[in-house]
Amino acid sequence: MSRPLVEVSSISRSYSMRSGMFGRSAAIHAVHGVSLTIPRGETLGLVGESGSGKSTTGRIVLGLEPPDHGEVRFDDKPMATPGTTAWRAQRAHMQMIFQDPLGALDRRLPVAAQIREPLDIHGLGTPLEREERVRELLRAVELTPAHGARYPGALSGGQRQRIVLARALATKPDFLVCDEPVSALDVSIQAQVVNLLADLQAQLALTLLFISHDLRVVRQISNVVAVMYLGRIVEIGCADDLFARPEHPYTQALVSASPAPGRRSAGRIVLAGDPPNPAARPQGCAFHPRCPRTITRCASEVPALSNVGGNRQVACHLVTGPQVETRDAA
Amino acid sequence: MAPLISIKDLSVAFHGVPVLRGVDLALHKGEALGLVGESGSGKSVTWLAALGLLPRNARVSGSVRLDSREILGAPAAELDRIRGGRVAMIFQDPASALNPVLTIRKQLCESLALHRDISGGAVKAEARRLLDLVGIPDATRRLEAYPHEFSGGQVQRIMIAMALAGNPDLLIADEPTTALDATIQAQILELLSTIRREMGMAMVLISHDLGVVAENCDRVAVMYAGRIVEEAPANQLFADPVHPYAQGLIGALPPLDGPRRRLTAIPGTVPDPASMPDGCAFAPRCALAEAPCGIVAPSLAPIAEDRAVACIRAEASRRALLGIAAE
Ligand SMILES: Nc1ncnc2c1ncn2[C@@H]1O[C@H](COP(=O)(O)OP(=O)(O)O)[C@@H](O)[C@H]1O
Ligand SMILES: Nc1ncnc2c1ncn2[C@@H]1O[C@H](COP(=O)(O)OP(=O)(O)O)[C@@H](O)[C@H]1O
Ligand code: SF4
Ligand code: SF4
Ligand SMILES: [Mg+2]
Ligand SMILES: [Mg+2]
């Protein structure tokens, strides 16, 4: 089997933040010991609540910022140092799209000019070829040259996100990091963009890191899904059965919290407590203050992400620890 | 029994551009009604108009009756009494509805003094009770805190406490959990349904999230381009939507388990209110559109005892069902 296109080994990143009334500087462990691999042409989905470290992971994987520890390898080579020629060459093969297409676009330029920009920057093709490529890209995202002549303000949210996608595809990247790309869109428009992304991925053999807080959207597009909580991956497995059979108590709560037509809220797991605070990461399993199934060692020992069979990895003492009996008793 | 609130032919235009085009809705005591539809379909404007909260440049017509009493165009003093009293509202962005420089106690007590016949120590005790009720721990101490000292989920709880201050019969919750993380959203929705059950309060839950509405409401109304296009009991709407737009919305929702299927996206976008298509506003996006759809806008008509749909096709099948010949 060929090597995965993207290999992330045990990356960590912390930021320092001044907090509290004494102005002490606290360390925020935004990402802690995250490892991921994404095979060519596949999609890895990253879910978790806000502040869990999804975007930071995305930026590190894309080489936009270096990890404090750990390594990212792209196409079997280490990520080049930001700013160098090698880095620019590598970067042409990877692109990013964000939640807010309006923020990513220049309001004063027709959108076709913005799709063309990366071609100009990387000096790809003659001016005529670039024009043709822009038309091709517009077609690829199911828009017309007439749309290309418009300014961002004259397009709908879904159309703007298509423009951003067209621009990201201009340099024929192998790898796309999509950070909440459809979160701001209405569900009908969201479905258009998700379908489009899936089609383009199949046509162009794109590899994707797809970040979202929306379990449904992530499952729709991913082969493998990783669940993050306070900077760590707590569960990872096949998109098809992760949400059908979540093993980690946090994944179970997330699935249970995801409202579904045709189901009443009876029997829902409602977590107590506030959303987690990355500046005050609890000892042991970071989820223990909110976990409905916590046991003594959860407060002191960090559970390791371990294989539980069936391509699933879980970081929970109940699932992988020696206390398998307590699981049945609970 | 007369409905608690009944809206008839409610229409709103801004600068001559109609954005609500004849909305009919009724809500009975204790009932939970969900309102769904793409952004811009008029969900918020419906209730802002009903409660007299739209800016002056809005032209509003129709009828809104609270307990059979017309309140559309009622004097400001009467509307002030109703809002925060019998009818309370909470919004997506709770922080903007709280005053950042006043303690929670001040704001809660103000509301209580305005809408309840209590004073002095009773006000403070009631403020504490409300904070307790919405699940803010250590209520006595937290009453003295300012809005920024609370997390997003807690601020929304405080907004709910403020809304409850007037002992409302009806709560309009406009996207109350949209800004919150999934696990916190679940907490707030559970809180709302518990309170609703205990107080026998009716609720309108406005949301773009079909799942949220399905799980928390008895009945659901689907809005499109300033009109209600389908209304049905929640379970029936999701199991068997009739209007092509409602079918589209449900088909666009990716499944959380079971086999994955290609999403049925609704093509195109919502029409601009300033250039509304003739006939059915959904026709340009509707896979089932036929020639007559572009001529007359179908009206919301019953298809069963508790279901209504605004679609020519549904009308035709209803006629067939009732044995009425098409004219
Ligand atoms: N540049 C930064 N400086 C300081 N803190 C940051 C920075 N980027 C992210 N963080 C913090 O790291 C944590 C994880 O953030 P993020 O990766 O954005 O999470 P997510 O995308 O899952 O919401 C958060 O607490 C966030 O405030
Ligand atoms: N104050 C206003 N002035 C002008 N147009 C408005 C105003 N408020 C809302 N609208 C328009 O009315 C329509 C319905 O808006 P709204 O009820 O907020 O939609 P929803 O809540 O369903 O997303 C939209 O086209 C919106 O742009
Ligand atoms: S390790 Fe303990 S606290 Fe953490 S998820 Fe498992 S049971 Fe819950
Ligand atoms: S009236 Fe016609 S266009 Fe409108 S929803 Fe029904 S079938 Fe579609
Ligand atoms: Mg993020
Ligand atoms: Mg609204």
Side-chain angles (χ1 to χ4, degrees):
Chain A
M1 209 181 83
S2 71
R3 289 197 69 108
L5 182 68
V6 179
E7 288 179 275
V8 177
S9 329
S10 208
I11 56 166
S12 296
R13 179 83 171 108
S14 39
Y15 301 101
S16 66
M17 187 187 72
R18 225 164 256 293
S19 73
M21 47 188 118
F22 307 111
R24 266 176 315 159
S25 181
I28 297 178
H29 296 283
V31 172
H32 202 106
V34 164
S35 298
L36 298 165
T37 57
I38 319 179
R40 250 171 234 285
E42 287 201 2
T43 300
L44 181 107
L46 209 51
V47 292
E49 290 173 283
S50 51
S52 57
K54 304 182 298 296
S55 296
T56 303
T57 302
R59 287 196 304 273
I60 293 174
V61 170
L62 208 59
L64 293 177
E65 63 181 274
D68 298 333
H69 305 282
E71 188 195 41
V72 178
R73 292 179 73 83
F74 182 78
D75 204 5
D76 212 12
K77 286 183 283 292
M79 200 62 86
T81 316
T84 61
T85 324
W87 180 73
R88 265 191 295 279
Q90 212 172 29
R91 274 307 311 279
H93 295 285
M94 29 177 119
Q95 291 293 340
M96 186 150 188
I97 58 178
F98 299 97
Q99 174 170 352
D100 171 26
L102 200 53
L105 294 169
D106 185 338
R107 288 160 196 259
R108 298 157 307 175
L109 273 183
V111 292
Q114 307 192 47
I115 296 177
R116 196 191 140 108
E117 216 165 47
L119 301 173
D120 295 336
I121 290 172
H122 292 278
L124 299 172
T126 64
L128 253 155
E129 284 165 349
R130 287 177 203 167
E131 287 306 312
E132 177 48 35
R133 177 86 180 122
V134 168
R135 273 196 295 277
E136 190 182 300
L137 286 162
L138 279 168
R139 249 196 322 277
V141 297
E142 292 158 10
L143 292 176
T144 62
H147 289 114
R150 296 199 202 162
Y151 291 84
L155 295 170
S156 69
Q159 289 169 336
R160 283 179 206 136
Q161 198 57 289
R162 287 163 194 267
I163 297 294
V164 171
L165 184 56
R167 183 176 62 183
L169 295 175
T171 57
K172 302 190 173 166
D174 304 308
F175 178 51
L176 269 188
V177 174
C178 308
D179 193 350
E180 307 268 8
V182 297
S183 303
L185 305 176
D186 273 310
V187 2
S188 71
I189 308 299
Q190 187 171 300
Q192 293 174 6
V193 176
V194 167
N195 282 347
L196 175 65
L197 206 53
D199 292 344
L200 288 171
Q201 170 171 39
Q203 275 164 35
L204 307 173
L206 286 170
T207 306
L208 299 185
L209 175 61
F210 191 96
I211 297 171
S212 176
H213 68 279
D214 186 329
L215 270 48
R216 293 173 178 278
V217 170
V218 161
R219 185 184 104 115
Q220 181 70 18
I221 197 137
S222 306
N223 301 94
V224 171
V225 174
V227 182
M228 285 187 82
Y229 191 81
L230 279 181
R232 288 180 201 262
I233 292 179
V234 296
E235 181 159 12
I236 183 166
C238 279
D240 272 326
D241 75 354
L242 182 69
F243 298 136
R245 278 178 296 281
E247 295 260 9
H248 193 283
Y250 177 63
T251 317
Q252 289 168 352
L254 269 187
V255 170
S256 175
S258 178
R263 186 184 72 180
R264 274 289 185 163
S265 42
R268 155 161 304 166
I269 307 167
V270 176
L271 294 179
D274 274 339
N277 176 2
R281 197 174 197 285
Q283 295 283 305
C285 172
F287 184 54
H288 87 262
R290 301 174 81 199
C291 181
R293 297 166 59 193
T294 179
I295 52 172
T296 320
R297 58 192 287 220
C298 302
S300 53
E301 289 172 51
V302 181
L305 189 65
S306 322
N307 246 310
V308 296
N311 288 324
R312 183 78 63 92
Q313 288 177 284
V314 181
C316 169
H317 293 308
L318 293 182
V319 180
T320 54
Q323 281 94 335
V324 179
E325 314 84 64
T326 39
R327 228 180 129 194
D328 300 327
Chain B
M1 195 177 68
L4 173 64
I5 194 163
S6 135
I7 296 180
K8 287 234 162 66
D9 202 26
L10 186 64
S11 298
V12 174
F14 292 102
H15 305 290
V17 176
V19 301
L20 273 202
R21 303 176 308 134
V23 166
D24 293 331
L25 272 177
L27 214 76
H28 286 94
K29 266 199 170 47
E31 202 186 8
L33 172 79
L35 201 52
V36 295
E38 268 162 299
S39 46
S41 56
K43 305 183 295 295
S44 300
V45 165
T46 298
W47 293 98
L48 293 173
L51 297 176
L53 286 169
L54 285 177
R56 275 159 186 277
N57 64 13
R59 286 189 64 94
V60 182
S61 65
S63 155
V64 178
R65 288 175 176 269
L66 183 64
D67 278 338
S68 312
R69 191 179 152 75
E70 182 64 51
I71 61 164
L72 202 64
E78 185 182 342
L79 286 171
D80 276 341
R81 243 188 344 268
I82 293 170
R83 292 187 303 249
R86 296 205 55 200
V87 183
M89 278 189 95
I90 54 175
F91 300 93
Q92 172 176 353
D93 180 16
S96 67
L98 288 173
N99 185 335
V101 300
L102 294 182
T103 62
I104 298 306
R105 179 177 56 79
K106 264 234 149 50
Q107 304 188 50
L108 261 175
C109 290
E110 220 164 75
S111 248
L112 284 166
L114 210 63
H115 295 288
R116 291 269 199 83
D117 238 353
I118 47 174
S119 57
V123 177
K124 179 137 190 229
E126 179 63 4
R128 196 180 319 122
R129 188 188 73 84
L130 285 172
L131 223 49
D132 248 347
L133 181 71
V134 298
I136 300 279
D138 197 7
T140 309
R141 204 174 52 81
R142 299 297 272 163
L143 271 175
E144 304 308 324
Y146 292 87
H148 74 266
E149 299 176 61
F150 295 88
S151 68
Q154 284 179 324
V155 172
Q156 195 56 288
R157 286 173 191 272
I158 291 166
M159 281 314 299
I160 295 172
M162 301 267 286
L164 297 179
N167 245 338
D169 295 320
L170 173 61
L171 176 70
I172 316 286
D174 191 350
E175 307 269 4
T177 58
T178 301
L180 304 173
D181 273 317
T183 59
I184 308 303
Q185 163 169 301
Q187 289 177 0
I188 298 293
L189 290 172
E190 181 172 86
L191 173 66
L192 278 175
S193 75
T194 310
I195 287 173
R196 213 172 61 73
R197 234 177 298 121
E198 281 171 11
M199 301 181 47
M201 183 176 70
M203 174 172 76
V204 175
L205 182 61
I206 300 176
S207 176
H208 66 280
D209 189 325
L210 297 165
V212 163
V213 160
E215 282 192 4
N216 294 281
C217 298
D218 309 312
R219 212 151 43 87
V220 178
V222 181
M223 278 193 89
Y224 189 78
R227 285 213 167 97
I228 308 280
V229 296
E230 180 158 2
E231 199 185 315
N235 51 355
Q236 291 183 32
L237 179 75
F238 292 100
D240 173 30
V242 172
H243 194 281
Y245 176 63
Q247 291 171 350
L249 278 185
I250 292 163
L253 197 66
L256 194 54
D257 44 34
R260 276 186 268 179
R261 52 166 176 84
R262 188 174 173 82
L263 304 178
T264 50
I266 304 172
T269 52
V270 279
D272 180 352
S275 49
M276 206 47 82
D278 287 337
C280 173
F282 189 59
R285 306 174 75 186
C286 182
L288 302 173
E290 314 162 347
C293 301
I295 301 166
V296 258
S299 53
L300 190 66
I303 54 161
E305 198 191 329
D306 48 4
R307 298 193 64 169
V309 178
C311 169
I312 285 174
R313 287 178 161 270
E315 259 171 51
S317 56
R318 183 176 58 99
R319 282 216 177 82
L321 212 69
L322 301 175
I324 308 170
E327 52 267 40

